[in-house]
Amino acid sequence: MPQTIHISAGTDFVKDSVKVRGACPHDCPDTCALLTTVEDGVAVKVQGNPDHPQTGGVLCTKVSRYTERSYHPERILQPLKRVGPKGSGRFEPVSWDSALDEIAARLQAIARRNPEAIAPYSYAGTMGLVQAEGMAARFFNKLGASLLDRTICSAAGGEALTQTLGGKVGMKVEFFAEARLILIWGSNSIASNLHFWRYVQEAKRHGARVVCIDPRKTETADKCHEHIALRPGTDAALALALMHQLIVHDWLDHDYIAQHTVGWDELRQRALLWPPERAAEVCGVPVEQIIALARDYGNTQPAAIRLNYGMQRVRGGGNAARAIACLPALTGAWRHRAGGLLLSSSGMFPINKAALQRPDLLAGRRPRTLNMITIGDDLQRDSSPAFGPKIEALIVYNSNPVAVAPESGKVVQGFEREDLFTVVLEHFQTDTADYADFILPATTQLEHWDIHAAYGHTDVLLNRPAIAPLGQARPNSAIFRALAARMGFTEPCFSEDDETLCRAAFSHPDGDRVDFNELLDKGFATLAIPDAPFADGRFLTPSGKCEFFSARLAAQGLDGLPDHLPNHEAAGSSAEFPLAMISPPARNFLNSSFVNVKSLRDIEGEPLLEIDADDAAARGIPDGAIVRVFNQRGEYRCRAKVSARARPGVVNGLGVWWRKLGLDGTNVNQLTSQQLTDLGRGPVFYDCLVEVQLDQAAAL
Ligand code: SF4
């Protein structure tokens, strides 16, 4: 017999099987198709859907334990109101009615003075188009709240792709399996892009050579034929030196360059300034390695580059991504379906954002935009003509800024403000939820509808709810719907249910861009995209060409050509803080998600700092010692792991631990800065100098 599950938003859903098709909501390029087994209304297992080619029936360790997360004993299952001082983490249960009434009253009072004093704060805690910026965006647009520049992950690289290729577009991931040379540039694919790694393994079986370019000797580097351990923030120098070699040896596709690029003469002049010897000095790698890589890249077809976002979290990250994105056009790699570059495929999805988010509700208002990177400073700013009104209320959903935003000492100071009204929609009492005035219990992916684009493949996925919401939890969409009603927002769009929002995501006046019935039937649908999208040029730039020279950047007063920009905190620039620190994700966490899942935290153990043996010996640090990691912004204590995974002069602070689960109530972001990237106003998490010392107190 079909079983009916009642969703809190009032949607009834008739399930035809005990296995329910869904989508992984996490910030990962793979966007896997899920199959959740439900028995007597309880989700007992979450598996990969074997029918979805990109998933292949396999999930990562993290999400295969999704039931442990959904049924976690510490799940927040009722609205909570603060009873202790800010940050004390003391709350008492309240009814939904009383929480929503009080929140709406507080927001209305602030909005009467100036709605821009209210700000959303959200990112990729769920990647679903409905539970992320669906009903929430409608709510904030109608309110006239500040807008948020959601820059914390990919802004510099995204802007670089847009300026060079015309959007976040690239080769289709499945064709990496046919490449003869693969450069994995700034990606620990085994940990954070597992399904791409399957294609690499297939390519390797067929004889492909695989090179990893990464300051850290990752698990992925271990499995590649070669590892190039460059200094953080020097990727553009390496890319320019590769161009230099392609030019001087004439390993170029002149026909492709002539027909499908803009700015070749200018780029040529720029690249000739970067002989391999100069780049070797900047990057801290042997010159022979650069020359050999250029020879391989210039003489192997098809050659494919899997670029990832780690390398663009430095001052010159946008320029670096631009330089790398120019390479395939120089060799004509785009002619082959297994050649080119993939950083993100998200720009290939024809999402109807206007239908989902309804910017028309702004009704001509143009609120200020806050950058989520500088929330630490912004929460401490007073009203001014330049800044606008002081931030009086923050609504946080799908994010944990106290743990993940840079310079977290300042972020904490901001959240501690007694005059800041903070509402957090969450599954757990995170570091951020500790500072809330109200915590509202949100559903997990097993309990709500959603629809997903991807940034590592080109399939749309539908997520059906597998179980009823636990406790009193509600989908984000339902929470914003209820708040809208209390605020007196009467537009019909605030009454639309989640299935309607899912249908709107790919709707279009000329006809839907994705067949919703196919999504209902199979759980996924593949976009119709040519196998080699840029074989004949047709880039999405204004010129229709790969723009080596960007007139749009030049018009902004920026360099129209890619170049190497040294880090804000370049290696060797400080005697006081001589070590560069990067903070790549711990393998069993995803940003700050999963840190409180005990079985995964047990694998990770505790916060670690990987340090090279000579750097450790010079400081008298034995393996396993507790160390102080510090700079001008703060101090963080963790355990040192003397490891070949760290290159000399660079330490790896694995993240992102919840502060309260660390050794001293801090995490690695105590040390990172709020400076911005060259393009996209993104974060510079990997542009950070520190010093490390043995913690004498712990050593006693
Ligand atoms: S986190 Fe990534 S690899 Fe893991 S299940 Fe989700 S999409 Fe797949």
Side-chain angles (χ1 to χ4, degrees):
M1 278 288 290
Q3 177 187 351
T4 301
I5 294 174
H6 298 280
I7 306 304
S8 64
T11 307
D12 287 345
F13 162 54
V14 179
K15 176 164 65 64
D16 58 6
S17 160
V18 291
K19 293 207 176 197
V20 181
R21 289 181 289 278
C24 175
H26 288 287
D27 185 3
C28 168
D30 297 21
T31 312
C32 289
L34 307 182
L35 270 187
T36 302
T37 305
V38 181
E39 290 175 6
D40 296 329
V42 176
V44 295
K45 195 193 278 184
V46 177
Q47 298 166 283
N49 183 347
D51 296 335
H52 182 231
Q54 300 290 354
T55 305
V58 177
L59 302 180
C60 63
T61 315
K62 300 173 278 260
V63 173
S64 54
R65 300 176 193 214
Y66 205 79
T67 55
E68 192 181 338
R69 188 172 187 278
S70 286
Y71 293 110
H72 196 294
E74 291 164 10
R75 234 344 255 280
I76 295 170
L77 295 175
Q78 56 193 331
L80 299 173
K81 181 178 179 181
R82 176 166 70 93
V83 291
K86 284 266 171 135
S88 65
R90 285 172 28 218
F91 296 88
E92 66 179 12
V94 290
S95 70
W96 269 109
D97 278 343
S98 122
L100 292 169
D101 284 346
E102 190 170 335
I103 293 166
R106 291 286 297 267
L107 295 182
Q108 279 171 326
I110 297 168
R112 274 194 290 274
R113 290 192 295 279
N114 189 338
E116 292 181 47
I118 301 167
Y121 197 99
S122 67
Y123 197 65
T126 173
M127 300 287 288
L129 296 170
V130 171
Q131 305 304 341
E133 309 312 325
M135 195 57 74
R138 295 178 181 187
F139 177 82
F140 290 112
N141 284 337
K142 173 68 184 171
L143 186 59
S146 288
L147 303 174
L148 186 71
D149 212 356
R150 293 179 171 81
T151 50
I152 201 162
C153 176
S154 59
E159 180 66 9
L161 286 190
T162 300
Q163 295 295 340
T164 314
L165 309 178
K168 288 179 162 184
V169 295
M171 56 182 288
K172 293 171 90 169
V173 67
E174 51 269 39
F175 297 129
F176 275 87
E178 299 170 11
R180 303 291 301 163
L181 173 68
I182 299 175
L183 309 189
I184 301 180
W185 200 319
S187 171
N188 184 5
S189 308
I190 290 177
S192 59
N193 194 187
L194 186 64
H195 295 78
F196 159 73
W197 183 252
R198 290 182 317 160
Y199 297 124
V200 176
Q201 285 178 303
E202 196 178 330
K204 275 173 84 178
R205 279 196 295 276
H206 294 121
R209 180 170 167 74
V210 186
V211 179
C212 178
I213 301 170
D214 196 315
R216 181 172 182 246
K217 188 170 186 296
T218 60
E219 296 89 340
T220 306
D222 291 343
K223 305 277 189 209
C224 290
H225 296 103
E226 188 177 358
H227 174 215
I228 300 180
L230 77 183
R231 291 192 181 104
T234 63
D235 305 74
L238 177 60
L240 287 160
L242 296 180
M243 289 181 203
H244 178 282
Q245 292 292 283
L246 297 178
I247 292 165
V248 300
H249 295 286
D250 197 20
W251 294 324
L252 298 165
D253 185 332
H254 291 283
D255 183 53
Y256 194 92
I257 292 170
Q259 290 197 48
H260 304 309
T261 72
V262 167
W264 161 234
D265 288 339
E266 295 93 328
L267 182 67
R268 185 174 180 282
Q269 294 307 319
R270 175 67 54 87
L272 288 174
L273 300 174
W274 282 93
E277 293 75 14
R278 181 181 175 197
E281 184 81 9
V282 170
C283 300
V285 301
V287 65
E288 299 76 22
Q289 216 173 13
I290 297 176
I291 292 169
L293 180 65
R295 186 173 55 238
D296 281 353
Y297 189 71
N299 292 283
T300 310
Q301 295 280 14
I305 300 174
R306 181 61 170 111
L307 189 58
N308 211 342
Y309 285 115
M311 49 69 66
Q312 46 97 70
R313 294 187 188 124
V314 294
R315 176 189 169 217
N319 266 271
R322 245 173 76 58
I324 297 163
C326 290
L327 291 168
L330 292 171
T331 59
W334 290 117
R335 292 186 189 276
H336 310 266
R337 69 180 191 175
L341 170 140
L342 177 63
L343 171 57
S344 170
S345 58
S346 66
M348 295 167 132
F349 289 82
I351 299 169
N352 189 343
K353 273 195 181 174
L356 263 180
Q357 303 182 356
R358 298 294 303 272
D360 56 296
L361 294 166
L362 283 167
R365 294 168 296 178
R366 300 181 64 183
R368 63 148 172 219
T369 300
L370 299 169
N371 188 337
M372 65 192 305
I373 303 307
T374 53
I375 190 68
D377 280 343
D378 289 347
L379 282 177
Q380 295 176 63
R381 290 189 213 279
D382 282 326
S383 300
S384 73
F387 181 62
K390 181 175 181 169
I391 300 171
E392 295 184 53
L394 263 189
I395 316 290
V396 182
Y397 53 105
N398 304 337
S399 188
N400 182 9
V402 170
V404 305
E407 204 171 356
S408 48
K410 285 192 176 172
V411 180
V412 168
Q413 283 173 21
F415 272 84
E416 276 173 344
R417 274 177 41 201
E418 282 293 335
D419 65 337
L420 178 73
F421 180 61
T422 304
V423 179
V424 176
L425 284 59
E426 251 304 350
H427 303 143
F428 299 107
Q429 195 171 326
T430 60
D431 290 332
T432 304
D434 278 344
Y435 291 86
D437 292 283
F438 283 94
I439 309 176
L440 302 180
T443 45
T444 68
Q445 189 78 342
L446 301 188
E447 303 153 62
H448 56 227
W449 282 93
D450 217 329
I451 190 164
H452 290 253
Y455 64 99
H457 59 69
T458 48
D459 294 349
V460 177
L461 281 84
L462 183 70
N463 187 74
R464 290 172 180 258
I467 56 173
L470 299 190
Q472 297 179 38
R474 296 184 182 183
N476 288 353
S477 53
I479 296 172
F480 284 106
R481 208 178 274 120
L483 271 176
R486 278 178 170 70
M487 301 284 285
F489 300 165
T490 54
E491 286 79 357
C493 70
F494 289 108
S495 305
E496 289 177 356
D497 65 18
D498 286 359
E499 188 181 335
T500 304
L501 267 73
C502 287
R503 288 176 183 273
F506 291 94
S507 64
H508 194 275
D510 301 343
D512 293 352
R513 293 296 187 254
V514 173
D515 182 351
F516 201 78
N517 288 328
E518 187 180 353
L519 290 175
L520 287 169
D521 284 350
K522 293 197 317 189
F524 62 91
T526 300
L527 299 177
I529 292 169
D531 285 353
F534 308 118
D536 302 314
R538 300 200 188 122
F539 291 94
L540 309 180
T541 53
S543 63
K545 301 187 175 192
C546 175
E547 297 196 350
F548 297 152
F549 180 85
S550 167
R552 289 177 292 170
L553 287 178
Q556 295 171 42
L558 300 171
D559 192 346
L561 291 172
D563 203 355
H564 167 63
L565 300 181
N567 279 359
H568 292 294
E569 299 182 6
S573 65
S574 165
E576 202 179 352
F577 307 118
L579 296 170
M581 185 186 77
I582 59 173
S583 41
R587 183 170 179 173
N588 291 284
F589 303 152
L590 209 161
N591 304 329
S592 72
S593 297
F594 297 101
V595 181
N596 65 326
V597 174
K598 186 172 180 312
S599 66
L600 294 170
R601 193 168 71 246
D602 285 348
I603 301 171
E604 290 298 329
E606 59 190 326
L608 291 179
L609 184 88
E610 295 171 347
I611 184 167
D612 162 73
D614 289 343
D615 288 334
R619 291 162 176 79
I621 297 170
D623 185 35
I626 302 298
V627 290
R628 297 171 53 233
V629 193
F630 57 96
N631 62 17
Q632 67 274 31
R633 289 176 287 274
E635 175 174 321
Y636 163 56
R637 286 170 66 246
C638 61
R639 194 172 293 281
K641 185 175 170 105
V642 178
S643 169
R645 295 215 182 282
R647 60 154 284 155
V650 180
V651 290
N652 309 322
L654 304 183
V656 179
W657 279 79
W658 288 14
R659 289 165 62 90
K660 59 185 165 189
L661 296 176
L663 294 188
D664 61 352
T666 64
N667 70 15
V668 74
N669 282 321
Q670 197 78 6
L671 308 172
T672 53
S673 87
Q674 296 179 75
Q675 302 237 50
L676 301 178
T677 51
D678 52 349
L679 304 178
R681 296 170 50 77
V684 295
F685 289 114
Y686 299 178
D687 182 342
C688 177
L689 290 181
V690 300
E691 179 55 297
V692 183
Q693 286 180 355
L694 194 61
D695 184 340
Q696 296 297 348
L700 292 175

